[in-house]
Amino acid sequence: MTLPPAAPPAPNTPTRSSDRFVAYVHDLCESKGTRAALRRGLGLPVERCNYLHRYLVPWMGEHVHPDAKRAHYAVASLIAARPRTARDAHATKPATHDVAARWYARANLGTTLGQAVRKEVLKPATAESALHLMSRQSTEAIHPGLPALTRQLLRDGIDVDWAVLLEDLTWWNRGRDRIATRWLENYFRITSAEQTADAPHAPAPTEENNS
């Protein structure tokens, strides 16, 4: 007897592990006590996050790279530390999850900082300085500065894609140049959009030019 084909996943079901983890943390944060416990890990290494283990160890299992573990603990704490306005805004939004093919179209930290500049939440010099500084640092140096940065963004209505941040932090020490380049490229695409909208486009190459 052949079995019927499996039903396709619901359209709002997260398909990436990072999206599922973020959804899990959002659910945890429905409890005020759990939210407070997760918030105690802000900017700290995993070894100093004793109050987070009971919630995050069951998710990750035993064999997790230290960079990935630190990234999960950091993002869980950042989500828990969102200001009330950001939590309320998340609660009123429908759950949507981009499929894997659209991953690189989602907002990384460079995109987010570009949006903050466009909305005059951050000055260009401040955002660019932060990006250039992070592009030269390891995650050990980046993590302590993320709570203040994300709090300012969220307080002024700038969303953070936590799943993208989670994956970027996970791979940062092993792919910093690649990830930093994406951040900077996306930042300058956002901030230069108005200036380039009216700029003349370069002519397409002719056959003669291609020869």
Side-chain angles (χ1 to χ4, degrees), residues 91-200:
T92 60
K93 290 179 183 176
T96 57
H97 302 281
D98 291 50
V99 296
R102 295 179 58 196
W103 178 251
Y104 284 100
R106 291 170 60 167
N108 60 35
L109 192 59
T111 309
T112 304
L113 291 176
Q115 292 167 346
V117 169
R118 288 284 297 273
K119 295 181 180 180
E120 299 184 345
V121 171
L122 292 177
K123 294 181 179 179
T126 301
E128 290 176 33
S129 176
L131 281 171
H132 283 297
L133 178 61
M134 286 188 287
S135 71
R136 301 192 299 270
Q137 295 177 319
S138 71
T139 50
E140 286 300 312
I142 290 175
H143 278 293
L146 286 174
L149 178 61
T150 56
R151 183 166 55 247
Q152 181 177 4
L153 294 169
L154 295 167
R155 187 182 61 227
D156 289 297
I158 307 296
D159 288 335
V160 176
D161 191 322
W162 301 111
V164 175
L165 181 61
L166 171 61
E167 294 200 23
D168 284 348
L169 291 175
T170 294
W171 290 100
W172 185 265
N173 288 335
R174 290 162 285 172
R176 180 180 62 189
D177 291 345
R178 172 179 55 82
I179 299 167
T181 297
R182 275 200 296 114
W183 286 9
L184 287 162
E185 287 178 344
N186 284 17
Y187 170 81
F188 286 111
R189 284 193 189 102
I190 295 289
T191 55
S192 63
E194 288 181 353
Q195 289 85 349
T196 57
D198 298 324

Side-chain angles (χ1 to χ4, degrees), residues 2-86:
T2 59
L3 296 175
N12 289 332
T13 299
T15 57
R16 295 180 77 96
S17 175
S18 53
D19 279 318
R20 292 196 299 274
F21 176 76
V22 169
Y24 169 69
V25 174
H26 278 301
D27 288 342
L28 289 176
C29 288
E30 292 296 315
S31 162
K32 184 177 179 180
T34 303
R35 191 167 68 243
L38 294 175
R39 198 164 54 234
R40 297 177 75 166
L42 278 173
L44 298 178
V46 172
E47 294 77 14
R48 294 176 58 193
C49 293
N50 293 338
Y51 290 93
L52 280 68
H53 298 319
R54 66 177 297 179
Y55 305 106
L56 303 187
V57 166
W59 175 272
M60 288 182 290
E62 294 182 53
H63 306 292
V64 179
H65 192 282
D67 289 347
K69 185 178 292 187
R70 177 78 189 267
H72 281 77
Y73 276 63
V75 168
S77 298
L78 292 170
I79 293 173
R82 291 169 301 157
R84 174 80 178 261
T85 52

